[in-house]
Amino acid sequence: MVIRLAPTRGGFLRPFGCGWFIREYLLGKGPEGSRAIDPEQGAPQADINYEYKEALARATARERTERIISNMVVRGADITEEEAEKIYQRELKRVSRKFTHMRYHSFLMYFGVLKRLGWVKATEVTEPSTIQDNYAPAPERTYYRLTKKGIQAGDELWSNPLFTLYPEIGPSHMKKSD
């Protein structure tokens, strides 16, 4: 009997995958405690990236909190809701945003794959960018939303958009079974 060890929703180090999060976020579902948006208006890439990293931080803090509380209960402690919330808030502060893996450039590259697949597209909505003084004006922030094709793509395709875009590289990265 073969038992699949890889998680189904995220990767080995993430509680959920980036593709899943982007799809759910742009559908307006507010996944993992992120803010809900209007799916027709969409959201700028920077906002999607921020919400993804914050959602990963919350999920990581939740997992750490569960582990801590579980160990405390095994040792005989009685934990109240208030104490559990304090532990969660402490762990949330401890999660490094660098720990949540994807840097902004990597996110833009990933998002570019989604654009090439035709799963996301720019909307007519833009807004001015603001950056620090003494710099040239920044380009406007463009909002993106899911396309019909992106909505209809299944979980398997969204789990690895790069392999979907370049199916010929997928088999070279899969473990060979004996």
Side-chain angles (χ1 to χ4, degrees):
M1 178 170 140
V2 176
I3 299 174
R4 186 172 185 270
L5 295 177
T8 56
R9 279 187 56 196
F12 277 101
L13 297 176
R14 286 173 269 148
F16 50 87
C18 186
W20 173 84
F21 181 85
I22 291 171
R23 181 178 63 184
E24 296 297 304
Y25 186 75
L26 290 178
L27 284 171
K29 295 182 178 179
E32 297 293 325
S34 61
R35 69 182 178 90
I37 62 161
D38 176 3
E40 289 301 313
Q41 181 178 348
Q45 290 176 339
D47 292 0
I48 300 167
N49 180 60
Y50 172 79
E51 292 288 347
Y52 173 60
K53 290 179 83 69
E54 289 302 306
L56 280 176
R58 286 189 297 271
T60 301
R62 216 173 25 251
E63 288 177 2
R64 290 178 183 177
T65 301
E66 289 167 0
R67 196 172 325 123
I68 290 167
I69 291 172
S70 175
N71 289 336
M72 292 171 74
V73 168
V74 166
R75 289 191 302 258
D78 189 26
I79 307 297
T80 65
E81 290 288 328
E82 293 80 25
E83 290 171 318
E85 181 61 24
K86 283 181 186 176
I87 294 169
Y88 171 74
Q89 291 300 327
R90 182 188 71 212
E91 292 304 314
L92 185 58
K93 287 178 185 172
R94 288 182 176 176
V95 175
S96 166
R97 295 320 187 255
K98 288 183 180 179
F99 171 76
T100 55
H101 301 284
M102 190 177 285
R103 304 294 193 266
Y104 188 61
H105 180 264
S106 298
F107 180 83
L108 293 179
M109 299 300 288
Y110 189 92
F111 206 83
V113 170
L114 300 179
K115 286 189 223 178
R116 288 194 297 275
L117 284 166
W119 292 355
V120 295
K121 73 175 188 175
T123 67
E124 301 295 319
V125 180
T126 61
E127 66 184 20
S129 291
T130 55
I131 58 175
Q132 297 173 344
D133 294 336
N134 304 321
Y135 287 97
E140 288 193 326
R141 291 167 31 107
T142 304
Y143 281 60
Y144 289 87
R145 67 177 185 84
L146 288 176
T147 63
K148 223 174 241 193
K149 189 175 176 183
I151 293 169
Q152 293 171 347
D155 289 342
E156 190 173 324
L157 298 176
W158 273 96
S159 71
N160 200 329
L162 191 61
F163 288 177
T164 303
L165 184 60
Y166 302 111
E168 66 277 4
I169 65 169
S172 67
H173 291 282
M174 302 296 174
K175 185 177 180 181
K176 308 277 189 284
S177 59
D178 295 328

